[in-house]
Amino acid sequence: MDRAQFYREARTDLDGPLHGVRVLDVTTVWSGPMASCILADLGADVIRVELPQRSPALPPDIPGTGLSWFHQTVNRNKRSIALDLRVPAGRAVFLQLVATADVVVENFLPGTLDRWGIGYEHCREVRPEAIFVSISGYGQFGPQAGRRGYDPVIQAASGWMSLNGGAGQEPVKAPTFLADDLGGLHGAIAALAALRHRSVTGEGQHVDVAMLDSVLFSSNGLLTLAATGEPLASMGNEVSFVVPCNTFRCADGAVFLVAALDRQWRALTGVIGRPDLARADGFATNAGRRARRDAVNEVIARWCRPRQVGYVVDALEAAGVAAGPVRDFGQAAADPHVRARDMLQDTELSNGTRAPIVGPAVKFARTPTRVRSGAPPPGADTVEVLAELGIGDALLAELRSTGAIGAAGPGCPRPVTDPEAADAG
């Protein structure tokens, strides 16, 4: 199938399958913003409430833009309002917004929004059918619910980190925000499920997403094995149940290959010139290869070592064996397939510069999604959003005088660190 055929019935009058859904984003750092980013990419009108205690955008800037990679990645496709939720007037405006919203996403330390007077119970008073998604490190209840849980802390606490790295090496965290991303993904999925429930029953609800739970859910059943006494060990690039499955050095780089089935092993032996091993004792079955892991790896390593990565990958692919080059992100970014899949989208940013922003993962044939806009400066849409509530110039001036909203224009509230409010990621 080519691109034109896939999108032959695409609509151009909608931003995505969630067009018409309004989401309030009261979040910080990554897990909460990621949940609302997914909803925004799907077409929802996401209004990001920028808190004075928000974390500053993290370095580095995207080269040539003067804008943070962090902010531009996770806050694209959103609008932004500068609103101090710690003052009465700010809380009142926020609850007015809640009355117009379908979903509220927050990821502060459990109890923080309750203390500010804008927690779930406060929100349901003005919007009984509201869906209130809370993302935190350890959840809204349980013995550790009050603990802070930044991404690497959750990776460590979940047991995930203990298996990452080579055999006998110190545990290693993921290079990406694994726990944050999984928490955000489950938060977005939960919001969609709750919207479906509300469409049938009219009922809103409080949704509790713990980053710890999200990582454990995605642990591929290892939590079950550990709970029932099965010993687990880090294996670097290999897995316990399939051989070969490993990285192999080539003359100009490395490849990762997997022969998950015995017929794939037989095809592999033909490629590497060792058909004698196709049905040999200790090699013919996966069970035998698992018992002779080092010998299998050495046979493949000898064949790969003098050859070019491209040759190895093409030869194995032609034989029906899964293999790919071990690349860095720069090489992945230059891949024509990545571009063809719209995973990098040339986007105009808020200051007029342009940058290739990572695109949505899922493709919709009928309601396509895209990066519609770069991340706005904090508070850039304050006047527009408040005007939708019927708040005119006189009341705007009054709100500014109380400190409820940011300075006039698309400004940004001055960052203030509030350690009691800060949470996970």
Side-chain angles (χ1 to χ4, degrees):
M1 179 181 294
D2 63 21
R3 181 189 182 90
Q5 183 181 7
F6 181 79
Y7 287 116
R8 66 189 181 279
E9 296 181 344
R11 296 182 59 168
T12 59
D13 58 332
L14 302 176
D15 289 332
L18 291 187
H19 187 92
V21 173
R22 172 168 282 190
V23 177
L24 295 187
D25 171 339
V26 193
T27 65
T28 183
V29 196
W30 196 268
S31 64
M34 175 51 69
S36 60
C37 175
I38 294 170
L39 299 176
D41 285 354
L42 292 174
D45 174 22
V46 175
I47 300 172
R48 179 163 171 77
V49 180
E50 302 280 5
L51 301 172
Q53 70 271 14
R54 66 178 181 83
S55 300
L58 299 182
D61 291 343
I62 301 173
T65 70
L67 298 173
S68 166
W69 66 276
F70 191 99
H71 182 57
Q72 294 303 315
T73 298
V74 81
N75 289 318
R76 80 285 188 89
N77 288 343
K78 302 178 185 179
R79 296 193 287 169
S80 174
I81 177 173
L83 192 62
D84 192 337
L85 302 176
R86 301 168 300 179
V87 302
R91 290 194 291 271
V93 170
F94 178 76
L95 291 175
Q96 282 184 263
L97 281 170
V98 170
T100 72
D102 297 292
V103 179
V104 178
V105 179
E106 65 93 9
N107 71 325
F108 285 86
L109 197 66
T112 299
L113 297 195
D114 293 326
R115 292 196 304 273
W116 291 351
I118 56 168
Y120 174 61
E121 296 300 329
H122 304 92
C123 289
R124 71 187 299 192
E125 288 179 7
V126 299
R127 178 76 158 144
E129 61 272 36
I131 294 162
F132 196 92
V133 179
S134 294
I135 304 173
S136 62
Y138 297 88
Q140 300 298 304
F141 60 87
Q144 298 179 348
R147 294 181 59 181
R148 291 168 179 79
Y150 288 96
D151 177 89
V153 175
I154 298 299
Q155 291 185 40
S158 67
W160 186 95
M161 194 182 295
S162 71
L163 296 183
N164 195 39
Q169 297 178 355
E170 287 296 312
V172 179
K173 74 172 186 63
T176 59
F177 307 141
L178 176 72
D180 281 339
D181 281 333
L182 288 174
L185 182 62
H186 281 284
I189 293 171
L192 297 177
L195 283 169
R196 166 60 181 166
H197 175 77
R198 190 180 72 185
S199 73
V200 175
T201 67
E203 299 171 345
Q205 60 183 303
H206 192 180
V207 176
D208 176 10
V209 179
M211 292 159 59
L212 178 65
D213 298 350
S214 299
V215 174
L216 292 175
F217 177 84
S218 298
S219 65
N220 308 134
L222 296 181
L223 186 66
T224 295
L225 290 178
T228 52
E230 177 69 18
L232 303 174
S234 58
M235 298 189 65
N237 288 324
E238 297 192 79
V239 298
S240 62
F241 49 88
V242 169
V243 175
C245 174
N246 207 350
T247 300
F248 296 92
R249 299 300 308 179
C250 296
D252 60 343
V255 298
F256 200 105
L257 68 84
V258 181
L261 306 175
D262 290 341
R263 62 176 174 79
Q264 293 171 341
W265 166 252
R266 292 192 291 272
L268 175 60
T269 61
V271 172
I272 66 175
R274 292 299 306 271
D276 56 303
L277 297 179
R279 300 183 185 277
D281 290 343
F283 290 89
T285 67
N286 186 55
R289 294 191 296 276
R290 287 172 59 198
R292 303 192 63 181
R293 182 183 300 268
D294 290 344
V296 171
N297 285 337
E298 180 54 31
V299 168
I300 299 170
R302 282 200 303 268
W303 180 79
C304 289
R305 205 170 289 129
R307 291 171 170 82
Q308 302 289 311
V309 167
Y311 174 84
V312 170
V313 171
D314 290 345
L316 293 175
E317 177 65 25
V321 179
V326 178
R327 305 187 299 198
D328 60 30
F329 273 113
Q331 292 168 320
D335 186 345
H337 182 77
V338 171
R339 297 284 181 163
R341 296 288 297 172
D342 294 327
M343 289 312 298
L344 283 171
Q345 300 187 14
D346 184 56
T347 304
E348 182 174 352
L349 307 183
S350 61
N351 63 0
T353 61
R354 303 189 72 87
I357 301 299
V358 179
V362 180
K363 284 41 173 180
F364 293 85
R366 187 68 170 162
T367 54
T369 60
R370 68 190 190 283
V371 181
R372 304 184 301 276
S373 61
D381 305 293
T382 299
V383 174
E384 176 184 273
V385 172
L386 295 188
E388 294 171 3
L389 297 178
I391 295 176
D393 292 343
L395 189 48
L396 278 174
E398 181 179 336
L399 289 170
R400 289 193 186 101
S401 69
T402 64
I405 63 175
C412 168
R414 181 163 53 89
V416 176
T417 301
D418 182 356
E420 295 304 314
D423 186 29

